[in-house]
Amino acid sequence: MDSAYDTVVMGGSLAGAATALMLKRKVPSMRILVIEKSTEFDRKVGESTSEVSACFLTRVLGLTKYLGHHHLTKQGLRMWFARPGTENFSDCSEIGPKYQGRLPTFQLDRQQLDQHVLEEAVAAGADLLRPAKIRKFEIAAGHHELEVDAEGQTRKITARWLVDASGRVAMIGRKLGLLEPITEQPTAAIWGRFQNVRDFDSAELKSEHLDFSDVCRTQRTWATNHLNGYGWWCWIIPLKGGDFSVGCVFDRRIFQLPEGANLGERLKAHLLTHPVGKMLFENATSVQGDMKACSQLPFRQKKVADEGWFMVGDTAGFMDPMYSPGLDFISYSTTSAVDLISRAFAGENISKAVDEANFRWEDNFRKWFAGVYQDKYYYIGDAELMSTAFMLDVSLYFLGPVRQAYSADPARYHIPPYGGLPGDIVGAFMRTYNRRLSQIARKRIAAGTYGEKNEHWRELYPGFSPDASTLKILRRAIFRWASMEIRTLFLKPGREPHSAGMTAPRPA
């Protein structure tokens, strides 16, 4: 094993391993070292892919056969709402797909996926130090120096390029003072694995609730199911082998989880307050030692690249796990890094390209966060408001990022969407409706009408695709938004508030 490398990747999970793999495929002569601190990957979070990241995994990394054998095919995203006093889960309001998804998506066990992609990178010719700890590193353009503890000794390693794939550790960002939390969105999360979760599509359940089962033409169990309440939502993701990844994300300005002896008990206690959660998890048990928590989820980096280093994946920033954008950002950031590093390796002057990469990332991050996630937790528990946002968000996602991902454009991944004048227009539209839905939610809270459609209401969509058919869903959502704006003009404060989810909504 050498001590001088062209590229050193700090972190061997999916983002780092994918970067190393693509670099070796594009420039086979490049000397690449991956440094991974763990002996083996932990299970992280069970993760759903979006259509963009599924396209990246299958059409860019070439993992179609592997994913089909070792992970589950996802059946869309489904959300469940309840009101106080709702006892039967079949009375909960539901939004989601009626049929099987039109484009491939997957439910991933990240422990297995990360290990497989890392093995692919090594097979392609990348060196690997594992387990290894980076004691210190110095950044100097074209000649970075690292001290690494591995195999019982301290090694000195040099690199022309550093790729930071250390996740929330964000080694370069913390060293250079680039990392900053997004305090205007104080969301926290706990998550882990559960076993003995009831089957949503069992024969027993169908015999007891025939109308509930027959109204949906696809399998609810294989979907990513969300339980929604005022200020919080829980994900339920099936994993191959029978375990479920389960977590709760909440806005600390609005909601706090119940107390409990441990994270698993706290999460289960909260799940049982929702009728769908009670049905699924009444006899479920959390996997001991497999629970995790994060008190401040969203953060950003002031810049993600310079001449000599690049941040990829969660290292470059994180918004929110709703809609599963994390793997999308892995797709965009890793291909951007590969493009930039390979051009530098070929002798090209990349000063302008570095500036463009930083601008594109910051611009895309800002538009995506403001347009989709900022203050969403005020209306996330109202079925009518959230269904409107869901149709708008997903329609624009399919007409923009998904359409771009499935195009023949060679820059479809290393140039993020929402750029240029069209991106500015779409970003402004998304920011406007997201802000207005949040404001309507607060007026509904004051008037006592929040969550009125959280019971006995079901909206199942025929499906989204990156073509003109999705315009019908977009148009429908815009009309509903306009209707709600008009009805909001006549709201008057003072009625007893309804609760969407099990915590009574209150103004922040």
Side-chain angles (χ1 to χ4, degrees):
M1 186 175 288
D2 295 331
S3 294
Y5 287 90
D6 298 306
T7 302
V8 169
V9 181
M10 302 188 294
S13 59
L14 179 59
T19 305
L21 175 60
M22 288 190 292
L23 278 172
K24 287 301 292 185
R25 287 176 176 173
K26 191 166 187 177
V27 189
S29 62
M30 186 179 293
R31 297 163 299 168
I32 300 172
L33 172 66
V34 179
I35 302 174
E36 170 53 41
K37 65 180 180 180
S38 67
T39 303
E40 61 180 26
F41 294 117
D42 62 20
R43 299 193 69 184
K44 294 187 179 68
V45 57
E47 192 163 356
S48 290
T49 74
S50 67
E51 287 73 13
V52 165
S53 56
C55 181
F56 171 74
L57 293 174
T58 56
R59 296 195 172 196
V60 177
L61 294 187
L63 301 179
T64 302
K65 183 178 179 180
Y66 166 77
L67 292 170
H69 281 288
H70 297 281
H71 301 271
L72 297 177
T73 299
K74 174 181 170 182
Q75 297 296 335
L77 171 61
R78 197 170 298 277
M79 300 183 188
W80 302 90
F81 304 81
R83 286 175 61 178
T86 305
E87 295 184 1
N88 196 321
F89 74 91
S90 62
D91 292 332
C92 292
S93 291
E94 173 189 10
I95 65 174
K98 186 173 184 177
Y99 306 104
Q100 186 172 351
R102 297 179 178 181
L103 294 176
T105 51
F106 302 92
Q107 309 285 28
L108 302 175
D109 186 325
R110 279 293 302 275
Q111 182 184 38
Q112 292 190 36
L113 177 65
D114 291 4
Q115 180 63 32
H116 178 77
V117 178
L118 181 57
E119 290 172 358
E120 290 282 295
V122 172
D127 287 343
L128 173 65
L129 280 179
R130 181 185 197 187
K133 180 179 179 180
I134 299 175
R135 293 176 57 88
K136 65 179 182 179
F137 64 99
E138 298 298 329
I139 296 176
H143 187 79
H144 310 293
E145 297 182 349
L146 304 91
E147 287 189 12
V148 182
D149 286 344
E151 301 172 345
Q153 60 180 334
T154 299
R155 296 185 52 187
K156 294 184 181 296
I157 295 169
T158 61
R160 294 170 58 186
W161 275 86
L162 287 180
V163 174
D164 189 349
S166 60
R168 300 184 72 91
V169 175
M171 298 179 71
I172 291 178
R174 294 181 190 276
K175 185 179 183 67
L176 300 181
L178 300 173
L179 184 148
E180 54 185 17
I182 302 177
T183 55
E184 62 264 37
Q185 186 89 334
T187 49
I190 67 172
W191 66 92
R193 299 294 184 290
F194 279 77
Q195 297 174 334
N196 302 317
V197 177
R198 191 176 184 185
D199 184 358
F200 232 139
D201 302 295
S202 67
E204 175 191 13
L205 204 65
K206 184 172 182 178
S207 65
E208 296 172 358
H209 303 274
L210 181 61
D211 293 342
F212 170 82
S213 297
D214 283 351
V215 74
C216 184
R217 300 294 188 263
T218 187
Q219 294 77 37
R220 290 182 171 102
T221 297
W222 302 136
T224 297
N225 284 282
H226 286 183
L227 312 182
N228 287 39
Y230 177 68
W232 61 269
W233 63 280
C234 294
W235 76 73
I236 305 167
I237 297 175
L239 302 176
K240 194 157 189 175
D243 286 0
F244 280 75
S245 168
V246 184
C248 182
V249 185
F250 53 96
D251 189 322
R252 291 184 280 109
R253 297 171 296 183
I254 308 170
F255 178 81
Q256 290 293 332
L257 279 173
E259 295 299 322
N262 55 58
L263 291 176
E265 288 187 11
R266 293 179 67 189
L267 180 53
K268 182 175 178 178
H270 179 59
L271 291 166
L272 295 180
T273 63
H274 193 290
V276 172
K278 183 177 181 181
M279 182 272 292
L280 293 174
F281 290 90
E282 191 166 23
N283 298 314
T285 56
S286 61
V287 178
Q288 294 299 314
D290 201 23
M291 299 296 299
K292 294 181 174 63
C294 180
S295 60
Q296 174 64 37
L297 280 179
F299 71 94
R300 62 168 67 90
Q301 300 281 5
K302 296 176 184 176
K303 68 177 183 177
V304 297
D306 206 337
E307 293 191 55
W309 57 263
F310 207 111
M311 301 180 191
V312 295
D314 286 353
T315 309
F318 186 81
M319 298 181 193
D320 193 283
M322 176 172 280
Y323 296 139
S324 304
L327 282 174
D328 286 18
F329 293 158
I330 287 178
S331 307
Y332 295 130
S333 60
T334 55
T335 49
S336 296
V338 169
D339 174 67
L340 203 67
I341 294 171
S342 60
R343 288 163 63 185
F345 188 79
E348 183 178 336
N349 185 331
I350 59 165
S351 298
K352 185 177 179 180
V354 168
D355 292 338
E356 290 175 349
N358 281 311
F359 172 79
R360 285 196 300 263
W361 182 263
E362 191 279 331
D363 181 59
N364 185 76
F365 193 97
R366 174 176 48 80
K367 290 174 183 173
W368 208 318
F369 175 73
V372 178
Y373 296 108
Q374 190 165 10
D375 288 338
K376 204 179 201 81
Y377 286 75
Y378 287 102
Y379 66 84
I380 201 170
D382 183 294
E384 186 181 30
L385 292 172
M386 192 59 209
S387 69
T388 305
F390 181 84
M391 287 190 289
L392 289 166
D393 294 341
V394 179
S395 294
L396 293 172
Y397 180 71
F398 269 78
L399 293 171
V402 176
R403 191 171 185 175
Q404 175 179 309
Y406 275 92
S407 73
D409 187 345
R412 58 187 173 142
Y413 276 108
H414 70 254
I415 295 182
Y418 305 126
L421 181 60
D424 291 341
I425 295 171
V426 173
F429 175 64
M430 294 172 67
R431 186 169 61 250
T432 299
Y433 73 69
N434 181 52
R435 183 179 67 250
R436 287 301 305 154
L437 292 175
S438 178
Q439 292 171 354
I440 293 172
R442 298 182 210 207
K443 291 182 179 180
R444 288 186 174 188
I445 291 168
T449 62
Y450 188 93
E452 283 194 327
K453 286 195 174 182
N454 283 16
E455 190 177 54
H456 302 300
W457 187 62
R458 182 164 286 112
E459 185 165 65
L460 302 181
Y461 308 107
F464 296 86
S465 59
D467 55 37
S469 65
T470 296
L471 291 172
K472 296 179 181 179
I473 301 176
L474 180 62
R475 185 165 56 246
R476 175 182 170 189
I478 293 173
F479 282 133
R480 180 177 292 174
W481 171 27
S483 172
M484 290 190 297
E485 291 281 11
I486 294 171
R487 284 184 280 136
T488 300
L489 296 174
F490 300 95
L491 288 179
K492 297 180 180 180
R495 290 173 52 190
E496 185 70 21
H498 296 296
S499 170
M502 304 303 113
T503 297
R506 58 189 184 278

